[in-house]
Amino acid sequence: MLCWGPIPIGCLWLGSRANYLSGNVEAGIVVSFGTAFASLFGALAVLRRLDYTWILVRRAAGHDQRAGALARIFAMTAIVGVVVFSFWFLVINGPNDPNL
């Protein structure tokens, strides 16, 4: 769930700080995208290593474990994200909100 909310928001905050301190919008964009790229792929690398370790531990315990849980976890978080965003967009905000 960190990859869907807190990490991108933190990267946008860092980009806004870079924009404020340098007075350059391009610097803020570069910092935002650079930190998002590094943070999200770093988190994915850590999660992949954890998933591989989980497979090895399950195999060592005698279970026939061929695939990890990372793909299922990603799919479930994506489904939850789509449902929450759809609820917010269609019910709370509304697609025809005059305040947009």
Side-chain angles (χ1 to χ4, degrees), residues 77-91:
T77 58
I79 290 169
V80 169
V82 166
V83 169
V84 169
F85 175 78
S86 298
F87 178 77
W88 169 81
F89 184 72
L90 296 173
V91 176

Side-chain angles (χ1 to χ4, degrees), residues 37-53:
F37 183 80
S39 300
L40 292 174
F41 278 106
L44 183 61
V46 169
L47 290 174
R48 180 65 191 127
R49 187 170 290 226
L50 181 65
D51 192 43
Y52 183 69
T53 304

